[in-house]
Amino acid sequence: MAEPGPAVRRKSRPGSVRKRSRAPVQPSPVSSPVAPKRPSSGGEEPPAETPCSNDSEEDMFGDYDSFYGSDSLLAQVDDVEHKYLQDKNMDIKAAGEVILGNLQSGIHQKKADNFSTSENMIVLKADKEDAFQMNENNAVDSNQEPTESVLDDLPSSQLLYFEKMDELSFGSRTSPVSERRNKCVNTSSDKIRSPSSFCPDAEHRSRPIDFSSDSKCDSFKTESLKDHLKSAMTGNAKAQTLQVSKTKQLKEAVLSEEICVARKTIESSYVDIGPFYGLPSKVKDLFRQFRGIETLYEWQHDCLMLESLQHRKNLIYSLPTSGGKTLVAEIIILQELLCRQKDVLMILPYVAIVQEKVRGLSSFGIELGFLVEEYAGSKGRFPPIKRRKKKSLYIATIEKGHALVNSLIETERIDDLGLVVVDELHMLGEGSRGATLEITLAKILYTSKNTQIIGMSATLNNVGDLQKFLQAEYYTNNFRPVELKEYVKIRDTIYAVDSKTENGFTFSRLLNFKYSSNLEKADPDHIIALVTEVIPKYSCLIFCPTKKNCENVASMVCKYLKKEFRAHREKEKQDLIKNLKNIGNGSVCPVLKQTIPFGIAYHHSGLTNDERKSIEEAYSTGVLCLLACTATLAAGVNLPARRVILRAPYVANDFLKKNQYKQMIGRAGRAGIDSAGESILIAQEKDKHLVQVLVNSPLENCYSNLLLELTKGMQSLLLSLVGLKIAVTHEEVDNFMCSTLLGVQQQLLSKEKSLSEIIKDGLENLIEKGLLKGRISEKDHSSKCMLTITPLGKATYKGSIDLAYCNLLYRELKKGLEGLILESNLHLLYLATPYDMTSSCSPDWMIYLRQFNQLSAAEQKVADIVGVPESFITKKASGQAIRKNVDSAVVNRLYLSFVLYTLLKETNIWSVSEKFNMSRGYVQNLLNSAASFASCVLHFCEELEEFWVYKALLTELTKRLTYCVKTELIPLMEVAGVLEARAKQLYNAGYKTLAHLANANPETLVKMIEHLSRRQAKQIVSSAQMLLSEKAEALQEEVEELLKVPTDIPGTY
């Protein structure tokens, strides 16, 4: 590869005069090994100077030499390179230390067949030319201060340009201009940093090394005016600044452009540390080892090689489900963690997916030296620990991701976040969670210009709006690893979906299955005929409209299957039933007990976490071949099937949306197993037209929910903007709102009122609630009046409390201070019971009275304190009329706190669900929500000094709600993916602490623990190692912070 800097040969001359001559410059492009799809952003590179071969030739400045003395830059470069090449087998790290010791220079590594952006080349060239130029221009006596006239050598635009470059550079170096004001020149190529540790296979790479002088300058000589002019012309020629007119306006335009280029160049600085898309070969080996991935699909390669990614532009990419989107995101994440040495936030829609991803990436973190931190439910630190050595990958739900970003902005650490990856980007358009996601991304865009955002989804339509909102490029591809064939069944006829035909359908075949009259009545939709074509050899999913329908379909199918189905993997199915019985402490769902022997189960939110996990694992390994499930599975964990059947074009009572339909059918076809995937939508004749519209219509548009979700959307955003000091006047808030998705779509969504008027109303409402202080001018909406947040407002946004309940929560906590009943945790549990679950609760009054009567006298007093007298419960249970009004929300909330109280005492979801006549899935959801809400209330109380007493109490309660097990199992359940049943198995086998698990042998675990696969054992061990490492790192950080010598000790200078 051609050297990017000038090559000059020096020759001794008589006396003190030296002469530099060069051959005429030919403008020929310099070729570099840039990977395909990555054209240089600037077209051709600047021409390289050719080595001079004749000392008698005159250069443009005649008899003038910039290299004074024997310690010139290129002499040092030649010496070090020569020394380096003599020992090719030298350890890279040691070589790096030798080089750094000799020259204190940065090392820049490149690979011919990998990431190598032209911007990096520009930075390297600029650094070398900078040093070249400054050695040439600075000839001043060392005992004499350089005069200000030296600064006049350069035009003002270039001086400002160098100062800006200095401000933007990663290493806090002195700018060229400042250097001229001092007695020494310090330049370095630190803008492109070498990694702190090199990968093992680094010797296989070619490593062009760039050195810049960092030693003290020789004594400067006083220059004549002629010399000043020459050096100025040299500097301007080499800097290749544009020739512009002298007018102030044009000068400012050029300066602005130069600063912009410098910023982009520095921001895109990238350290290539290996042959696998800039990553070490070890990463490729790990993907092969942990995922079985040998090679990437062509689209994945093309996407990773996009120019926009190399320039660190934001990117949205969209492909069908199962297309391999996540792998691309994971490679980009590893590039950020290992190459750019920045933290990464990955936002996923559900807790289960967060936990699955933590398990999957912990093994990579252990091998590659980064931390994986879980932010879901009640887990996560705010703000996160600032790591000195290792970088962190935060894997978070939407809500926890928002709280994390808030804490980073507040502590001025948002620039530590180099990358944010959002899966299921289309969720921007889905209710309050969409509003929260929009708020999070808008804050990142507004507060950090260095954080890259990557969004991915299988179902996007109005991409233009999203591009404008995220300031992103867009990549899409229709690739699927397995062909998907879509069908619709009406009566006994199956039609192929064909958008080219007039009605969207073409006849495919008739069902060939003999139905008896009884079977026809039991199965009018011919589900059994469709299922038996694929099971048990292949897998099948049936999406049903409701949870009850899932159970009914599973029961119906197994009733009419032949007995031969029971013989398929019979022992493993019996083991699964035994495992479910252990999970339920001797109880197992009668439907599952009936269906599992046939390889069939249901999957919906009515299952406990342990049950759901066991069923998913059994399906993944082929023990179960058919799942009857609700639509939530389509957006959850990855469970593909050979055939996907949609029981009806409905979700509950609502007709199916195109996005939902696409997600469901996207589960059809398993890469590497099936040659094709099939989806069959069962429709009635009455719905035929609607189904034709559905299968041939475009995807739904994604719209902002900030206005629809008022307390969780617009008002929540306005409160946190003022609290974080992102925007503290009406005018600043207006400016911020223009950068949201709502700002992009305001013409569509806010027709009755202007966006500014909506903002004004929202701010006034927050002032009325006592969350903000200040006033909004009636006459002038662009008032400069400063808004400030109140302590209650700060506690509300930091606790992520819904604004609809913040005042009520404050009043109840305040009332609790007057007489908190601490004989048991019932009173605390009431305060930690989520408000938003009360509306879905319908108490059984006889159970209510029975549970109340079992309480102690002190516990019964809690009911009186919160406003539910015993007489009210008694009259309700006996069916008597109630004269006194009692708040139904309080009544329901107390009932739910009874459920939680019983659950913490018995730690058995099955027995509690039977006792309260609730589904065990509802009890599980209540427990999860209460743990999360208790965490929020804890953060709320931390911000209000008057609630100091709650801090210790809620910390312990949050922990108990999170795990809801006996104390000895908690250390094991802290490991991602280890639920109660597995924790009991591990504890009984002697693995009683986190250290036991972290140092366990996966092969031994497989032998000792029933129903544990080798893959699961490895994931448990790596997750435990990651958690142990994270805790150790946190303690080490604390130790170093404690031992750090303060810089402001009195009496020291």
Side-chain angles (χ1 to χ4, degrees), residues 214-435:
D214 199 25
S215 60
K216 288 194 174 184
C217 310
D218 293 313
S219 299
F220 296 153
K221 281 192 173 183
T222 309
E223 293 179 302
S224 65
L225 178 60
K226 179 182 174 183
D227 289 336
H228 283 316
L229 289 171
K230 287 179 182 178
S231 62
M233 290 171 69
T234 303
N236 290 337
K238 287 181 181 296
Q240 296 184 347
T241 50
L242 297 171
Q243 288 188 344
V244 295
S245 68
K246 300 280 184 171
T247 65
K248 185 178 179 182
Q249 188 176 10
L250 283 177
K251 278 185 178 180
E252 288 175 353
V254 173
L255 172 61
S256 175
E257 183 63 22
E258 287 174 338
I259 292 169
C260 184
V261 169
R263 183 182 287 116
K264 285 181 180 176
T265 302
I266 291 165
E267 285 175 2
S268 68
S269 295
Y270 180 89
V271 181
D272 185 334
I273 59 172
F276 183 67
Y277 300 98
L279 294 164
S281 295
K282 186 177 182 180
V283 174
K284 188 176 182 180
D285 295 338
L286 291 176
F287 276 115
R288 185 185 297 114
Q289 180 185 337
F290 297 141
R291 306 280 179 80
I293 296 170
E294 294 287 341
T295 56
L296 271 62
Y297 298 128
E298 186 181 348
W299 85 262
Q300 290 171 327
H301 173 77
D302 290 346
C303 188
L304 287 166
M305 303 296 276
L306 287 173
E307 185 183 348
S308 54
L309 279 182
Q310 307 326 305
H311 290 272
R312 287 186 55 71
K313 292 181 181 176
N314 296 341
L315 178 70
I316 299 169
Y317 64 99
S318 176
L319 278 97
T321 303
S322 305
K325 297 184 294 297
T326 306
L327 177 60
V328 170
E330 287 174 352
I331 291 173
I332 296 170
I333 286 169
L334 292 177
Q335 288 171 352
E336 195 68 31
L337 289 165
L338 304 180
C339 301
R340 295 192 179 93
Q341 292 287 301
K342 288 279 192 176
D343 295 330
V344 177
L345 168 62
M346 188 178 199
I347 298 177
L348 301 170
Y350 304 111
V351 174
I353 305 177
V354 168
Q355 292 172 342
E356 184 184 36
K357 189 58 67 180
V358 169
R359 288 197 302 274
L361 289 175
S362 288
S363 46
F364 284 86
I366 295 296
E367 295 291 335
L368 298 170
F370 62 86
L371 298 172
V372 179
E373 300 184 39
E374 180 183 340
Y375 280 76
S378 61
K379 292 184 179 179
R381 301 172 191 249
F382 303 100
I385 295 172
K386 188 173 177 65
R387 315 282 183 183
R388 286 190 179 86
K389 296 173 185 174
K390 292 186 178 180
K391 294 302 166 187
S392 291
L393 167 58
Y394 311 114
I395 303 180
T397 55
I398 291 170
E399 293 76 15
K400 289 292 178 180
H402 179 222
L404 177 66
V405 167
N406 279 348
S407 68
L408 290 173
I409 293 171
E410 185 176 35
T411 53
E412 298 182 350
R413 287 169 49 195
I414 190 65
D415 282 330
D416 291 349
L417 203 59
L419 174 69
V420 176
V421 173
V422 182
D423 195 8
E424 310 295 356
L425 187 64
H426 61 269
M427 288 197 73
L428 277 167
E430 296 185 14
S432 62
R433 305 195 77 216

Side-chain angles (χ1 to χ4, degrees), residues 299 303 306 315-321 323-325 328 425-426 454-463 466 473-479 699:
W299 85 262
C303 188
L306 287 173
L315 178 70
I316 299 169
Y317 64 99
S318 176
L319 278 97
T321 303
K325 297 184 294 297
V328 170
L425 187 64
H426 61 269
I454 305 287
M456 52 182 168
S457 174
T459 53
L460 288 177
N461 190 29
N462 57 331
V463 179
L466 300 182
E473 303 285 321
Y474 179 58
Y475 176 87
T476 187
N477 196 303
N478 291 322
F479 171 82
L699 294 162

